[in-house]
């Protein structure tokens, strides 16, 4: 019963900050872990060109990573696309939970 009364909107905010965290909030742990792994892989492999320059011993990582003029659109497009699709998936999961909850509540109230 407590799960049905939980608001869904925090899942959207959590997903914007960390891909997969909104799924975990909604109780879909495996799905959330899969989205998080996909996002990390996208950051690690598809942004390797940007990160390889940032990991050189000359300057600290955060200083090099925050130099936006050195970052190309291609470096952030795929991780951003993964994050947007993950947010869409959280919306669809939340929509399913929202539409299923009145039917479930009616079935329980009529059955007792």
């Amino acid at each position: 019963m407590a799960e049905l009364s939980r608001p869904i909107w925090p899942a959207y905010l959590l997903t914007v900050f960390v891909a997969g965290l909104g799924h975990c909030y909604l109780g879909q742990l495996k799905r959330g872990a899969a989205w998080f792994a996909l996002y990390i892989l996208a950051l690690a492999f598809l942004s390797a060109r940007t990160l390889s320059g940032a990991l050189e011993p000359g300057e600290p990582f955060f200083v090099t990573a925050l130099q936006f003029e050195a970052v190309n659109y291609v470096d952030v497009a795929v991780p951003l696309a993964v994050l947007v699709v993950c947010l869409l998936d959280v919306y669809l999961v939340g929509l399913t939970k929202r539409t299923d909850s009145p039917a479930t509540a009616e079935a329980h109230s009529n059955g007792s």
Side-chain angles (χ1 to χ4, degrees), residues 22-41:
H23 288 88
C24 293
Y25 175 80
L26 293 175
Q28 307 238 340
L29 298 178
K30 288 181 183 178
R31 196 173 202 159
W35 276 111
F36 181 72
L38 182 65
Y39 185 66
I40 294 300
L41 286 174

Side-chain angles (χ1 to χ4, degrees), residues 1-7 101 104-105 108:
M1 183 73 172
E3 193 172 316
L4 294 176
S5 63
R6 268 174 109 173
S101 59
T104 306
H108 289 301

